[in-house]
Amino acid sequence: MVEHKRVGILTSGGDCAGLNPAIRAVVYHAIGTYGWEVVGIRQATQGLMERPPKTLKLEIEGIDPLLTSGGTILGTTNKGNPFAFPMSDGTLRDRSQEIIDGYHLLGLDALIGIGGDGSLAILRKVAQQGNLNLVGIPKTIDNDVNCTELSIGFNTAVKIATEALDRLHFTAASHSRVIILEVMGRDAGHIALNAGIAGGADVILIPEIPYKIENICNYIRKRQDLGKNYSLIIVAEAVRTEAGEAVTQDDLSGKSRFGGIGYYLAEKISDGSGAEVRVIVLGHIQRGGVPSTIDRLVASAFGVGAIELIAEGKYDQMVTWQNRQVVSVPIEEAIAKYRAVDPDDTLVKTARCMGICLGD
Ligand code: F6P
Protein backbone atom coordinates (compact mmCIF):
# COMPACT_ATOMS: atom_id res chain seq x y z
CA MET A 1 0.00 0.00 0.00
CA VAL A 2 1.51 3.30 -1.15
CA GLU A 3 0.66 6.23 1.10
CA HIS A 4 -1.42 9.11 -0.24
CA LYS A 5 0.54 11.79 -2.08
CA ARG A 6 -0.01 15.22 -3.53
CA VAL A 7 2.09 15.51 -6.68
CA GLY A 8 2.88 18.77 -8.44
CA ILE A 9 3.68 18.83 -12.15
CA LEU A 10 5.13 21.61 -14.29
CA THR A 11 6.42 22.06 -17.82
CA SER A 12 9.49 24.22 -18.32
CA GLY A 13 11.47 25.54 -21.31
CA GLY A 14 10.29 25.62 -24.92
CA ASP A 15 6.98 23.86 -25.56
CA CYS A 16 6.68 20.88 -27.89
CA ALA A 17 4.17 18.25 -28.92
CA GLY A 18 3.76 15.49 -26.33
CA LEU A 19 3.74 17.56 -23.13
CA ASN A 20 -0.02 17.22 -22.74
CA PRO A 21 -0.05 13.43 -23.27
CA ALA A 22 2.61 13.16 -20.53
CA ILE A 23 0.44 15.22 -18.15
CA ARG A 24 -2.51 12.98 -19.02
CA ALA A 25 -0.54 9.80 -18.22
CA VAL A 26 0.59 11.24 -14.88
CA VAL A 27 -3.04 12.00 -14.02
CA TYR A 28 -4.27 8.53 -15.03
CA HIS A 29 -1.60 6.66 -13.07
CA ALA A 30 -1.41 8.89 -9.99
CA ILE A 31 -5.16 9.30 -9.53
CA GLY A 32 -6.47 6.17 -11.26
CA THR A 33 -4.00 3.68 -9.81
CA TYR A 34 -3.02 5.23 -6.48
CA GLY A 35 -5.83 7.65 -5.67
CA TRP A 36 -3.35 10.53 -5.24
CA GLU A 37 -3.90 14.19 -6.08
CA VAL A 38 -2.21 15.96 -9.00
CA VAL A 39 -1.67 19.70 -8.98
CA GLY A 40 -0.69 21.38 -12.24
CA ILE A 41 1.64 24.35 -11.77
CA ARG A 42 1.28 27.15 -14.28
CA GLN A 43 4.09 28.86 -16.23
CA ALA A 44 6.86 26.57 -15.01
CA THR A 45 8.52 27.63 -11.73
CA GLN A 46 6.91 31.06 -12.02
CA GLY A 47 3.63 29.51 -10.85
CA LEU A 48 5.32 28.54 -7.59
CA MET A 49 6.63 32.10 -7.07
CA GLU A 50 3.12 33.57 -7.20
CA ARG A 51 1.07 34.06 -4.03
CA PRO A 52 -1.10 32.11 -3.95
CA PRO A 53 0.78 29.76 -6.26
CA LYS A 54 -0.82 29.58 -9.71
CA THR A 55 -2.18 26.09 -10.17
CA LEU A 56 -4.58 23.99 -12.18
CA LYS A 57 -6.33 21.07 -10.49
CA LEU A 58 -5.99 18.02 -12.70
CA GLU A 59 -8.59 15.25 -12.67
CA ILE A 60 -9.22 12.18 -14.81
CA GLU A 61 -12.53 13.65 -15.89
CA GLY A 62 -11.92 15.86 -18.92
CA ILE A 63 -8.27 14.88 -19.34
CA ASP A 64 -8.59 12.80 -22.52
CA PRO A 65 -8.40 15.62 -25.09
CA LEU A 66 -4.82 16.17 -23.93
CA LEU A 67 -3.73 13.06 -25.81
CA THR A 68 -4.03 14.77 -29.17
CA SER A 69 -3.27 18.35 -28.26
CA GLY A 70 0.03 20.14 -28.82
CA GLY A 71 1.71 22.63 -26.47
CA THR A 72 1.11 22.50 -22.73
CA ILE A 73 -2.08 23.32 -20.85
CA LEU A 74 0.09 24.39 -17.94
CA GLY A 75 1.94 27.06 -19.88
CA THR A 76 5.71 27.31 -19.87
CA THR A 77 8.61 29.71 -20.23
CA ASN A 78 12.20 29.47 -21.37
CA LYS A 79 13.07 32.75 -19.66
CA GLY A 80 13.39 33.74 -16.04
CA ASN A 81 16.06 31.62 -14.40
CA PRO A 82 14.89 31.80 -10.75
CA PHE A 83 18.48 32.23 -9.53
CA ALA A 84 18.81 35.44 -11.58
CA PHE A 85 15.21 36.43 -12.19
CA PRO A 86 14.75 39.62 -14.23
CA MET A 87 12.70 42.07 -12.13
CA SER A 88 10.61 44.91 -13.55
CA ASP A 89 13.13 47.49 -12.27
CA GLY A 90 15.83 45.89 -14.43
CA THR A 91 17.63 44.14 -11.56
CA LEU A 92 18.18 40.38 -11.23
CA ARG A 93 17.03 38.62 -8.09
CA ASP A 94 17.48 35.12 -6.67
CA ARG A 95 13.87 33.91 -6.24
CA SER A 96 14.65 30.23 -5.69
CA GLN A 97 13.44 30.32 -2.06
CA GLU A 98 10.00 31.49 -3.25
CA ILE A 99 9.73 28.33 -5.35
CA ILE A 100 10.61 26.19 -2.35
CA ASP A 101 8.07 28.05 -0.21
CA GLY A 102 5.46 27.63 -2.97
CA TYR A 103 6.04 23.87 -3.00
CA HIS A 104 5.41 23.74 0.76
CA LEU A 105 2.44 26.12 0.62
CA LEU A 106 0.78 23.67 -1.80
CA GLY A 107 1.56 20.78 0.53
CA LEU A 108 3.33 18.86 -2.22
CA ASP A 109 5.04 15.54 -1.52
CA ALA A 110 6.80 15.45 -4.88
CA LEU A 111 7.29 17.52 -8.01
CA ILE A 112 7.49 16.30 -11.59
CA GLY A 113 9.45 18.66 -13.82
CA ILE A 114 9.13 18.16 -17.57
CA GLY A 115 12.01 19.96 -19.21
CA GLY A 116 15.19 19.92 -21.25
CA ASP A 117 18.69 19.85 -19.80
CA GLY A 118 18.67 23.57 -18.88
CA SER A 119 15.34 23.40 -17.04
CA LEU A 120 16.23 20.15 -15.30
CA ALA A 121 19.54 21.63 -14.10
CA ILE A 122 17.70 24.63 -12.60
CA LEU A 123 14.98 22.48 -11.05
CA ARG A 124 17.58 20.16 -9.53
CA LYS A 125 19.45 23.10 -8.00
CA VAL A 126 16.22 24.39 -6.42
CA ALA A 127 15.26 20.89 -5.24
CA GLN A 128 18.65 20.37 -3.61
CA GLN A 129 18.51 23.75 -1.91
CA GLY A 130 15.05 23.09 -0.51
CA ASN A 131 15.24 19.32 -0.06
CA LEU A 132 12.33 18.87 -2.48
CA ASN A 133 11.37 15.50 -3.98
CA LEU A 134 11.99 16.01 -7.69
CA VAL A 135 11.49 13.62 -10.62
CA GLY A 136 12.38 14.68 -14.18
CA ILE A 137 10.87 13.89 -17.57
CA PRO A 138 12.99 14.83 -20.61
CA LYS A 139 11.38 16.90 -23.36
CA THR A 140 12.84 18.86 -26.22
CA ILE A 141 12.49 18.78 -29.98
CA ASP A 142 16.31 19.04 -30.06
CA ASN A 143 16.69 15.52 -28.55
CA ASP A 144 19.91 16.61 -26.90
CA VAL A 145 19.27 15.41 -23.33
CA ASN A 146 21.92 12.96 -22.26
CA CYS A 147 21.11 9.35 -21.26
CA THR A 148 17.88 9.06 -23.25
CA GLU A 149 17.41 7.98 -26.86
CA LEU A 150 14.21 10.01 -27.09
CA SER A 151 12.91 13.15 -25.49
CA ILE A 152 9.27 14.17 -25.77
CA GLY A 153 8.66 16.34 -28.86
CA PHE A 154 11.53 15.14 -31.03
CA ASN A 155 9.59 12.64 -33.08
CA THR A 156 6.85 15.12 -33.94
CA ALA A 157 9.42 17.75 -34.96
CA VAL A 158 11.17 15.23 -37.22
CA LYS A 159 7.83 14.25 -38.72
CA ILE A 160 7.00 17.90 -39.50
CA ALA A 161 10.43 18.55 -41.03
CA THR A 162 10.13 15.34 -43.08
CA GLU A 163 6.72 16.43 -44.37
CA ALA A 164 8.19 19.80 -45.31
CA LEU A 165 10.84 18.05 -47.42
CA ASP A 166 8.17 15.82 -48.97
CA ARG A 167 6.38 18.94 -50.16
CA LEU A 168 9.51 20.77 -51.26
CA HIS A 169 10.57 17.96 -53.63
CA PHE A 170 7.73 18.84 -56.00
CA THR A 171 8.21 22.57 -56.14
CA ALA A 172 12.01 22.25 -56.35
CA ALA A 173 11.68 19.77 -59.23
CA SER A 174 9.10 21.88 -61.04
CA HIS A 175 11.38 24.95 -61.04
CA SER A 176 14.76 23.18 -61.22
CA ARG A 177 15.83 24.87 -57.98
CA VAL A 178 17.98 24.23 -54.97
CA ILE A 179 15.83 24.58 -51.88
CA ILE A 180 17.36 24.93 -48.43
CA LEU A 181 15.25 23.95 -45.43
CA GLU A 182 16.58 25.38 -42.16
CA VAL A 183 15.44 23.44 -39.10
CA MET A 184 15.77 23.93 -35.33
CA GLY A 185 17.78 21.78 -32.96
CA ARG A 186 19.81 24.24 -30.91
CA ASP A 187 23.45 23.06 -30.89
CA ALA A 188 22.64 19.55 -32.17
CA GLY A 189 21.84 18.20 -35.63
CA HIS A 190 19.42 15.42 -34.66
CA ILE A 191 16.35 16.93 -36.38
CA ALA A 192 18.26 17.71 -39.60
CA LEU A 193 19.89 14.28 -39.75
CA ASN A 194 16.72 12.29 -39.06
CA ALA A 195 14.37 14.34 -41.24
CA GLY A 196 17.02 14.64 -43.94
CA ILE A 197 17.24 10.89 -44.39
CA ALA A 198 13.51 10.29 -43.96
CA GLY A 199 12.59 13.13 -46.33
CA GLY A 200 15.10 12.29 -49.04
CA ALA A 201 17.33 15.37 -48.74
CA ASP A 202 20.36 15.43 -51.04
CA VAL A 203 22.52 17.41 -48.64
CA ILE A 204 22.37 17.31 -44.85
CA LEU A 205 24.37 19.85 -42.87
CA ILE A 206 24.72 19.47 -39.11
CA PRO A 207 26.89 21.36 -36.63
CA GLU A 208 28.76 18.21 -35.66
CA ILE A 209 30.24 17.74 -39.15
CA PRO A 210 32.25 20.62 -40.69
CA TYR A 211 31.47 21.36 -44.34
CA LYS A 212 32.94 23.15 -47.33
CA ILE A 213 30.77 25.19 -49.71
CA GLU A 214 32.91 23.89 -52.55
CA ASN A 215 31.96 20.28 -51.72
CA ILE A 216 28.26 21.16 -51.75
CA CYS A 217 28.52 23.04 -55.06
CA ASN A 218 30.46 20.19 -56.67
CA TYR A 219 27.83 17.75 -55.47
CA ILE A 220 24.97 19.88 -56.89
CA ARG A 221 26.79 20.22 -60.23
CA LYS A 222 27.37 16.47 -60.34
CA ARG A 223 23.66 15.93 -59.82
CA GLN A 224 22.91 18.37 -62.63
CA ASP A 225 25.31 16.46 -64.90
CA LEU A 226 23.38 13.31 -64.07
CA GLY A 227 20.16 14.99 -65.19
CA LYS A 228 18.86 15.64 -61.66
CA ASN A 229 17.54 19.12 -62.05
CA TYR A 230 16.97 20.00 -58.40
CA SER A 231 18.48 19.46 -54.96
CA LEU A 232 17.12 19.67 -51.45
CA ILE A 233 19.37 20.77 -48.60
CA ILE A 234 18.43 20.50 -44.95
CA VAL A 235 20.52 22.51 -42.53
CA ALA A 236 20.46 22.62 -38.74
CA GLU A 237 20.19 26.13 -37.32
CA ALA A 238 23.47 25.87 -35.40
CA VAL A 239 25.58 25.15 -38.47
CA ARG A 240 28.22 27.85 -38.67
CA THR A 241 29.59 29.81 -41.59
CA GLU A 242 32.62 28.34 -43.30
CA ALA A 243 34.72 30.71 -41.22
CA GLY A 244 33.21 29.19 -38.07
CA GLU A 245 30.88 32.02 -37.06
CA ALA A 246 27.47 31.26 -35.55
CA VAL A 247 24.58 32.83 -37.49
CA THR A 248 22.16 34.43 -35.08
CA GLN A 249 19.43 37.01 -34.94
CA ASP A 250 18.38 39.23 -32.04
CA ASP A 251 14.77 38.91 -30.94
CA LEU A 252 12.76 41.94 -29.80
CA SER A 253 14.12 41.62 -26.25
CA GLY A 254 17.65 41.77 -27.62
CA LYS A 255 18.34 38.08 -26.93
CA SER A 256 20.40 36.38 -29.61
CA ARG A 257 19.03 33.16 -31.16
CA PHE A 258 20.16 30.85 -33.93
CA GLY A 259 18.64 31.68 -37.30
CA GLY A 260 19.71 32.59 -40.80
CA ILE A 261 22.34 30.04 -41.78
CA GLY A 262 20.05 29.03 -44.67
CA TYR A 263 20.35 32.52 -46.19
CA TYR A 264 24.12 32.53 -45.80
CA LEU A 265 24.33 29.17 -47.58
CA ALA A 266 21.91 30.28 -50.31
CA GLU A 267 24.14 33.14 -51.34
CA LYS A 268 27.30 31.02 -51.36
CA ILE A 269 25.68 28.10 -53.17
CA SER A 270 24.02 30.33 -55.74
CA ASP A 271 27.39 31.97 -56.47
CA GLY A 272 29.27 28.67 -56.47
CA SER A 273 26.89 26.51 -58.48
CA GLY A 274 24.86 28.96 -60.53
CA ALA A 275 21.68 27.32 -59.26
CA GLU A 276 18.54 29.27 -58.41
CA VAL A 277 18.17 28.90 -54.65
CA ARG A 278 15.28 29.39 -52.23
CA VAL A 279 15.27 29.22 -48.43
CA ILE A 280 12.58 28.05 -46.01
CA VAL A 281 13.05 28.54 -42.28
CA LEU A 282 10.69 26.06 -40.64
CA GLY A 283 10.86 27.66 -37.18
CA HIS A 284 8.24 27.07 -34.51
CA ILE A 285 6.05 25.01 -36.84
CA GLN A 286 8.29 22.16 -35.66
CA ARG A 287 7.04 22.59 -32.11
CA GLY A 288 3.35 22.76 -32.88
CA GLY A 289 0.51 20.53 -33.82
CA VAL A 290 -0.82 17.14 -32.94
CA PRO A 291 1.71 14.88 -31.18
CA SER A 292 2.94 11.98 -33.33
CA THR A 293 2.17 8.38 -32.38
CA ILE A 294 5.70 7.87 -31.05
CA ASP A 295 5.54 11.04 -28.96
CA ARG A 296 2.20 9.96 -27.49
CA LEU A 297 3.68 6.58 -26.58
CA VAL A 298 6.92 7.93 -25.13
CA ALA A 299 5.12 10.69 -23.24
CA SER A 300 2.59 8.22 -21.80
CA ALA A 301 5.34 5.80 -20.76
CA PHE A 302 7.36 8.64 -19.20
CA GLY A 303 4.33 9.92 -17.27
CA VAL A 304 3.67 6.46 -15.86
CA GLY A 305 7.39 5.97 -15.15
CA ALA A 306 7.59 9.24 -13.24
CA ILE A 307 4.70 8.24 -10.97
CA GLU A 308 6.34 4.84 -10.38
CA LEU A 309 9.53 6.59 -9.25
CA ILE A 310 7.50 8.64 -6.77
CA ALA A 311 5.69 5.51 -5.52
CA GLU A 312 9.11 3.92 -4.91
CA GLY A 313 10.44 7.08 -3.25
CA LYS A 314 13.20 7.39 -5.88
CA TYR A 315 13.91 11.09 -6.26
CA ASP A 316 16.47 13.24 -8.05
CA GLN A 317 15.96 10.83 -10.97
CA MET A 318 14.92 11.36 -14.59
CA VAL A 319 12.98 8.81 -16.63
CA THR A 320 14.73 7.86 -19.85
CA TRP A 321 14.05 5.78 -22.96
CA GLN A 322 16.69 3.14 -23.55
CA ASN A 323 16.26 0.13 -25.82
CA ARG A 324 12.48 0.62 -25.81
CA GLN A 325 12.35 0.52 -22.02
CA VAL A 326 11.66 3.29 -19.55
CA VAL A 327 14.46 3.30 -16.99
CA SER A 328 15.73 6.06 -14.74
CA VAL A 329 19.05 7.80 -14.25
CA PRO A 330 20.19 10.38 -11.70
CA ILE A 331 19.28 13.85 -13.03
CA GLU A 332 22.89 14.77 -12.32
CA GLU A 333 24.01 12.29 -15.01
CA ALA A 334 21.42 13.54 -17.51
CA ILE A 335 22.56 17.15 -17.22
CA ALA A 336 26.27 16.43 -17.01
CA LYS A 337 26.77 16.16 -20.74
CA TYR A 338 25.20 17.49 -23.91
CA ARG A 339 23.99 14.81 -26.37
CA ALA A 340 25.15 15.94 -29.80
CA VAL A 341 25.09 13.76 -32.94
CA ASP A 342 27.93 11.26 -32.81
CA PRO A 343 29.76 11.49 -36.15
CA ASP A 344 29.96 7.66 -36.03
CA ASP A 345 26.20 7.36 -35.45
CA THR A 346 24.42 4.72 -37.48
CA LEU A 347 22.33 7.40 -39.22
CA VAL A 348 25.43 9.33 -40.26
CA LYS A 349 26.74 6.11 -41.77
CA THR A 350 23.35 5.50 -43.39
CA ALA A 351 23.39 8.94 -45.01
CA ARG A 352 26.93 8.51 -46.32
CA CYS A 353 26.23 5.04 -47.71
CA MET A 354 23.17 6.38 -49.54
CA GLY A 355 25.23 9.03 -51.28
CA ILE A 356 23.82 11.95 -49.29
CA CYS A 357 26.29 14.83 -49.14
CA LEU A 358 27.21 15.84 -45.60
CA GLY A 359 29.37 18.67 -46.83
CA ASP A 360 32.71 17.22 -45.68
O1 F6P B 1 15.11 24.12 -27.56
C1 F6P B 1 14.00 24.13 -28.40
C2 F6P B 1 14.10 25.22 -29.43
O2 F6P B 1 12.97 25.13 -30.28
C3 F6P B 1 15.40 25.24 -30.25
O3 F6P B 1 15.42 24.25 -31.25
C4 F6P B 1 15.41 26.66 -30.73
O4 F6P B 1 16.73 27.08 -31.01
C5 F6P B 1 14.81 27.43 -29.58
O5 F6P B 1 14.08 26.50 -28.81
C6 F6P B 1 13.91 28.56 -29.97
O6 F6P B 1 13.53 29.23 -28.83
P1 F6P B 1 12.33 30.29 -28.74
O7 F6P B 1 11.05 29.51 -28.60
O8 F6P B 1 12.66 31.06 -27.52
O9 F6P B 1 12.34 31.09 -30.00
Side-chain angles (χ1 to χ4, degrees):
M1 174 69 185
V2 183
E3 67 189 33
H4 183 270
K5 291 193 190 299
R6 197 166 150 82
V7 177
I9 180 166
L10 60 81
T11 49
S12 179
D15 78 306
C16 61
L19 296 172
N20 281 336
I23 295 166
R24 174 178 175 268
V26 161
V27 166
Y28 262 111
H29 197 30
I31 301 176
T33 309
Y34 294 119
W36 298 346
E37 283 169 86
V38 181
V39 182
I41 293 150
R42 293 185 186 271
Q43 283 324 111
T45 48
Q46 289 181 26
L48 288 171
M49 294 177 193
E50 300 273 337
R51 295 295 174 267
K54 270 176 84 181
T55 61
L56 177 69
K57 194 164 168 50
L58 295 167
E59 308 273 9
I60 289 181
E61 203 188 329
I63 205 80
D64 279 338
L66 293 195
L67 184 61
T68 51
S69 63
T72 164
I73 40 156
L74 298 176
T76 187
T77 175
N78 58 6
K79 292 199 268 299
N81 174 354
F83 290 96
F85 193 87
M87 305 299 290
S88 50
D89 62 3
T91 59
L92 298 176
R93 190 196 292 170
D94 180 352
R95 298 187 65 185
S96 52
Q97 189 56 44
E98 294 169 51
I99 297 171
I100 296 163
D101 294 343
Y103 174 100
H104 292 303
L105 270 174
L106 289 174
L108 299 181
D109 299 297
L111 176 66
I112 297 174
I114 311 183
D117 58 344
S119 297
L120 290 174
I122 288 171
L123 286 169
R124 179 167 193 264
K125 198 169 161 194
V126 175
Q128 288 205 311
Q129 183 182 315
N131 222 2
L132 312 183
N133 293 328
L134 175 68
V135 165
I137 296 181
K139 71 86 217 168
T140 167
I141 64 165
D142 309 328
N143 211 27
D144 55 2
V145 179
N146 196 30
C147 304
T148 184
E149 288 159 18
L150 286 175
S151 291
I152 294 173
F154 173 64
N155 185 264
T156 307
V158 169
K159 183 169 170 267
I160 292 167
T162 302
E163 282 169 8
L165 287 173
D166 290 346
R167 287 165 200 267
L168 292 173
H169 277 282
F170 296 101
T171 176
S174 303
H175 287 267
S176 301
R177 284 173 174 162
V178 169
I179 297 195
I180 301 174
L181 178 68
E182 179 180 316
V183 294
M184 283 184 166
R186 218 174 40 154
D187 295 299
H190 296 287
I191 297 176
L193 179 63
N194 284 257
I197 295 173
D202 306 296
V203 181
I204 300 175
L205 301 176
I206 59 174
E208 294 85 349
I209 300 180
Y211 69 92
K212 281 205 162 62
I213 295 283
E214 193 190 344
N215 297 342
I216 302 167
C217 292
N218 288 342
Y219 181 86
I220 290 169
R221 270 194 242 100
K222 214 153 90 195
R223 278 177 58 79
Q224 287 165 345
D225 292 347
L226 291 170
K228 297 180 177 172
N229 70 327
Y230 76 98
S231 295
L232 290 188
I233 301 177
I234 187 165
V235 58
E237 62 180 358
V239 166
R240 293 172 174 256
T241 64
E242 256 191 321
E245 289 151 358
V247 182
T248 57
Q249 285 174 351
D250 288 350
D251 66 19
L252 292 177
S253 67
K255 197 173 164 195
S256 171
R257 301 188 180 285
F258 285 126
I261 183 65
Y263 292 101
Y264 163 84
L265 291 170
E267 202 184 314
K268 300 282 174 192
I269 291 169
S270 169
D271 288 350
S273 70
E276 188 181 5
V277 187
R278 293 288 185 272
V279 181
I280 286 92
V281 180
L282 202 51
H284 293 79
I285 287 175
Q286 292 157 96
R287 299 220 307 237
V290 175
S292 69
T293 310
I294 296 284
D295 268 328
R296 292 183 212 182
L297 292 175
V298 171
S300 300
F302 278 170
V304 166
I307 291 300
E308 280 305 285
L309 286 175
I310 294 170
E312 291 164 21
K314 281 176 76 179
Y315 298 114
D316 201 17
Q317 297 275 310
M318 182 188 85
V319 288
T320 73
W321 189 264
Q322 293 177 13
N323 297 321
R324 214 183 146 273
Q325 300 290 321
V326 174
V327 291
S328 72
V329 296
I331 296 178
E332 191 180 15
E333 219 177 285
I335 60 178
K337 209 176 131 222
Y338 183 71
R339 199 177 85 89
V341 172
D342 177 352
D344 295 324
D345 185 88
T346 193
L347 289 183
V348 173
K349 186 179 171 201
T350 303
R352 290 194 193 285
C353 293
M354 293 176 69
I356 297 171
C357 172
L358 299 178
D360 57 349

